[in-house]
Amino acid sequence: MRIAKSGALLPLTRLARSRDLRVQRNAAGALLNMTHSAEHRQQLIGAGAVPVLVELLGEDDPELQYYATTALSNIAVDDSGRQLLWDTQPGLIDALVRFVDASTIKVQCQAILTLRNLASDDQYQLQIVAHGGLDSLLPLLQSEYDPLIISAAACLRNLSIHPDNEQPILHSGILPCLVDLLTQSGNEEVQCHVISALRNLVANNDADKTPFAEAGLFDHMKAVLLSPDASDNVVAEMVAALNVFVLDDSLAPYILDGGFLELLIPLTRSPQVELQYNACVTISGLAGKAGEAADRLVQVWDRPDGGLQSYLASFLAVDEGMDPVLRSIALWTVTQLLESNSPDLVNLVTSHPSIIKNIDKIASIGSLSDSELRNSAYTTDSLVGQRMSRAFDDAYGVDPENPDENDDDIYNRMINLAQDVISLVHNQDQDVWRH
């Protein structure tokens, strides 16, 4: 940009302090225009524009407030920009929270978006909550103006990342509002931000999570998943959240009894890789609860869309191309069913015409040559690094903090899973023979 190369940044920062409102506006607008690229943001910082922009937050003119908050929001996109603001502007959060409480709508939106960008860092996540940010966000989540709701939901999504914010958020009265927004808002961005915030809160919460269910979370989620108007992105976020919720013993029964299995099974055939993966992992997590709810899994064995047996059979068919990560999830699901101590489930799995037969073929892959191995099951790196479940990680020594794996690691784990299933089947056959 010519302004940056002409040496005009320093004069512009001085003009932004002018007593002439028109001059101030023009200078602040020019500084804002300079924040649209990372290179120019760094030049602005070097010219000392940040303190001037923060000073403009104290002006009474809404246009100046808007220019300043928008410019600061853009500066807060960069790690270095956020660190500079943290090191040099200790009063920034208080000023932004004041704007959220009382200002024009467009300044409110920009102030919240600045808080959202700042809340990319854990230090700001804590400070925003400590300085009353939650009390300011709650009324905006109840607004009838979509841009305000989107901005507030996006900010809350980032605040919910920090574990220490979980209790303050739950005690703020925001939870019922978030749950209601899942169905009350028809805005895709709002729904995605809200379900992500709820997922963060559950993942960070070591306390009793039944308040989430009692607030109607699963009723609202099911209504969205059943809606023909739900976008693919919203459905994907919902299923990713279920993948987290099912790990909790207090929430899993609500998912099992809520009819979510019937919704998840068709999604195992989704062309969206992430959605397909999360649907499969969530089913695997529910299979891990089979000992407590075997009847629910029996009910979906052959319906809908062919049911659980059709999903497992197709993912375990050796002659079909299949990502080994997805195939491993299916194998782990079979393991969970066999270990359920449910005679009905064990019988359904072992008497199936192809499931155990194909698992036996996968288990024998380890004795084949590399070329035969590659022809026996399709590999792809599309899902490398994805997690399955804590139980799976513990059983197979997967380090969730070091998810980088090569093809051989994934293949070997898949074969080990198949061999474990065959051992389970043989042991159960011997137990039946002994009795």
Side-chain angles (χ1 to χ4, degrees):
M1 184 179 282
R2 292 180 181 177
I3 293 177
K5 295 179 179 179
S6 67
L9 287 179
L10 286 173
L12 271 178
T13 58
R14 288 194 293 267
L15 289 172
R17 287 173 164 146
S18 171
R19 294 183 180 180
D20 185 319
L21 180 58
R22 186 176 61 179
V23 173
Q24 263 192 310
R25 285 179 174 177
N26 288 336
L31 291 175
L32 167 59
N33 290 336
M34 288 292 299
T35 63
H36 295 308
S37 78
E39 178 185 354
H40 294 146
R41 289 194 289 271
Q42 292 304 310
Q43 292 169 350
L44 271 181
I45 289 171
V50 168
V52 178
L53 292 170
V54 175
E55 286 177 24
L56 292 177
L57 297 179
E59 297 288 342
D60 294 331
D61 180 61
E63 288 301 309
L64 287 176
Q65 294 171 353
Y66 174 75
Y67 292 147
T69 51
T70 307
L72 289 168
S73 177
N74 291 341
I75 289 170
V77 167
D78 305 320
D79 292 345
S80 59
R82 292 193 300 275
Q83 190 60 51
L84 174 75
L85 291 169
W86 177 262
D87 292 338
T88 64
Q89 304 300 324
L92 178 59
I93 295 302
D94 286 331
L96 291 170
V97 169
R98 283 196 298 271
F99 279 158
V100 173
D101 288 335
S103 190
T104 62
I105 287 179
K106 70 176 186 177
V107 176
Q108 277 184 307
C109 282
Q110 285 303 322
I112 303 165
L113 289 174
T114 306
L115 290 171
R116 188 271 307 270
N117 289 343
L118 291 172
S120 299
D121 294 344
D122 57 359
Q123 55 199 11
Y124 272 122
Q125 290 163 4
L126 290 172
Q127 189 181 67
I128 291 167
V129 171
H131 286 234
L134 295 177
D135 292 337
S136 300
L137 289 176
L138 180 55
L140 302 185
L141 290 169
Q142 298 166 328
S143 168
E144 295 182 358
Y145 185 56
D146 272 355
L148 279 179
I149 303 173
I150 293 169
S151 301
C155 184
L156 190 64
R157 177 179 185 168
N158 280 3
L159 295 178
S160 68
I161 293 170
H162 202 293
D164 290 348
N165 283 341
E166 178 263 329
Q167 285 302 316
I169 291 173
L170 292 182
H171 292 153
S172 71
I174 281 179
L175 178 58
C177 180
L178 289 178
V179 171
D180 289 343
L181 277 173
L182 290 176
T183 50
Q184 285 179 359
S185 175
N187 185 283
E188 177 182 320
E189 284 187 78
V190 171
Q191 289 175 310
C192 287
H193 287 316
V194 166
I195 193 61
S196 293
L198 290 165
R199 181 181 65 205
N200 291 339
L201 291 172
V202 168
N204 291 334
N205 184 8
D206 292 329
D208 178 29
K209 303 191 181 66
T210 53
F212 290 87
E214 291 170 351
L217 172 60
F218 296 107
D219 292 336
H220 286 269
M221 290 184 70
K222 188 173 181 180
V224 174
L225 290 172
L226 287 171
S227 171
D229 298 324
S231 72
D232 290 344
N233 288 335
V234 170
V235 172
E237 289 283 357
M238 291 278 179
V239 176
L242 285 173
N243 187 6
V244 172
F245 299 159
V246 76
L247 297 176
D248 185 80
D249 290 339
S250 64
L251 296 183
Y254 290 94
I255 301 173
L256 275 166
D257 297 335
F260 284 92
L261 272 168
E262 288 87 343
L263 302 177
L264 290 166
I265 288 171
L267 295 177
T268 61
R269 295 177 175 82
S270 170
Q272 294 184 64
V273 174
E274 286 286 337
L275 176 54
Q276 182 186 40
Y277 168 82
N278 281 313
C280 294
V281 174
T282 306
I283 290 171
S284 172
L286 292 170
K289 315 292 183 183
E292 309 151 27
D295 57 325
R296 293 293 299 119
L297 290 148
V298 170
Q299 288 171 12
V300 297
W301 182 250
D302 56 7
R303 64 181 188 277
D305 293 355
L308 187 57
Q309 62 85 25
S310 178
Y311 148 58
L312 294 173
S314 62
F315 276 50
L316 296 170
V318 176
D319 57 348
E320 293 186 15
M322 176 58 60
D323 188 296
V325 175
L326 290 174
R327 179 164 284 163
S328 295
I329 298 170
L331 287 164
W332 179 245
T333 303
V334 172
T335 302
Q336 300 293 297
L337 297 176
L338 291 174
E339 292 181 340
S340 67
N341 294 321
S342 164
D344 290 338
L345 280 176
V346 171
N347 180 60
L348 286 170
V349 172
T350 55
S351 64
H352 190 276
S354 68
I355 289 177
I356 299 302
K357 185 184 299 184
N358 280 327
I359 292 175
D360 196 26
K361 291 179 182 178
I362 296 169
S364 68
I365 284 177
S367 63
L368 302 177
S369 68
D370 283 346
S371 61
E372 290 173 312
L373 178 93
R374 297 295 173 180
N375 291 329
S376 298
Y378 173 72
T379 60
T380 175
D381 61 0
S382 62
L383 288 169
V384 170
Q386 294 279 17
R387 288 195 63 192
M388 292 195 217
S389 69
R390 284 196 295 261
F392 177 88
D393 292 346
D394 292 342
Y396 286 89
V398 178
D399 181 2
E401 301 301 323
N402 183 29
D404 295 331
E405 296 179 295
N406 58 39
D407 284 350
D408 288 340
D409 293 330
I410 297 167
Y411 243 92
N412 290 335
R413 190 174 66 211
M414 180 185 72
I415 294 166
N416 289 339
L417 274 163
Q419 291 171 346
D420 288 347
V421 170
I422 297 305
S423 294
L424 269 174
V425 172
H426 287 165
N427 289 340
Q428 288 172 345
D429 287 343
Q430 290 175 3
D431 288 343
V432 170
W433 181 82
R434 289 192 188 103
H435 288 88

